[in-house]
Every structure is written in structure tokens, then in C-alpha cells.
Amino acid sequence: MNKKNIFEQIIKGKIKSDIVYQDKIVTAFKDIKPKAPIHILIIPNVLIVSANQINEKNKDILTHVFITAIKIAKKIGIHEKGYRLVLNCNRNGGQEVPYLHLHLLGGKYLGSIL
Ligand code: AMP
């Protein structure tokens, strides 16, 4: 199974994952190889391959992806100390899975990456 299909199967509940939130538009689940104490991926339920496919037609989906990440951060209680949202795009951006996903990282001091 290719990596894109893995995320599609996670949305459908056909392969095992730790889903923390799901509605008609997005699915959020724990990253299988967490890079921080909190590491959750938020993905649209319809395939958007990368940030390059964000446009006027699907912008509301992306807004919902971001709002969901922030709601999860608040529910977990990491919002006051802070967190990082990461959206990797294509090879140079470090995107391994060709299915747009927003990383929510937190639970420790992450420092600066710039
Ligand atoms: P990226 O490098 O931005 O494409 O990130 C892909 C992320 O997907 C990585 O952090 C992986 O650990 C994560 N990942 C890959 N397969 C799974 C899976 N089956 N369940 C949860 N997370 C996964």
C-alpha cells in the first residue's frame, strides 16, 4: 500500500490508528513516530496532495484543518505554553506522505527552527 492510501485507509477506519478527532471534513490522529510528546496529524477527508493544491475552491477545508488543530491544542491544554503547526510541501519541504497533513507538535519546548 502506498503512503497516500494509508492515510485514506485511516480516515475510513480500515487500518489501525489512534484517531483523536473526526468529523465530515477532517480526521486527526496520533503520528506513528512522534517527534514530540504531542504529535498529531490533521488531514482533510478528501485528498489534497500538498500545499500546492490549496486554492479558492478548497480554502474552507484548509481553514477547518487549522481550526481543528487549534481546538485540539486547547482541549489537550498545550495552548498556553504553545505548540508548533507544520505543513511540509514536497521533497525540499520534507513531505514524505503525498496527502496534505498538518502536524500539531507540542508538550515540550521545541525551540526555534529558523
Ligand atoms: P511528512 O514528512 O510531513 O510527510 O510527515 C508524514 C508523517 O506521517 C510522519 O511524521 C510519519 O511518522 C507519519 N505517519 C506515516 N504513516 C503513519 C501511520 N500509519 N499512522 C500515523 N502516522 C503516520
Side-chain angles (χ1 to χ4, degrees), residues 45-108:
N45 291 343
V46 292
L47 174 63
I48 297 173
V49 173
S50 79
N52 286 334
Q53 275 69 49
I54 298 171
N55 56 43
E56 286 295 321
K57 283 185 185 168
N58 61 23
K59 66 183 179 186
D60 290 348
I61 297 174
L62 267 297
T63 301
H64 195 63
V65 167
F66 274 86
I67 289 172
T68 299
I70 293 158
K71 280 185 180 171
I72 292 169
K74 288 180 176 174
K75 191 175 179 190
I76 294 171
I78 60 172
H79 58 297
E80 284 184 356
K81 284 192 172 174
Y83 51 87
R84 177 173 293 153
L85 299 176
V86 176
L87 183 52
N88 296 326
C89 180
N90 287 350
R91 184 194 286 194
N92 278 4
Q95 183 179 7
E96 290 179 7
V97 178
Y99 193 119
L100 185 145
H101 47 283
L102 183 65
H103 297 257
L104 168 62
L105 297 147
K108 71 171 186 180

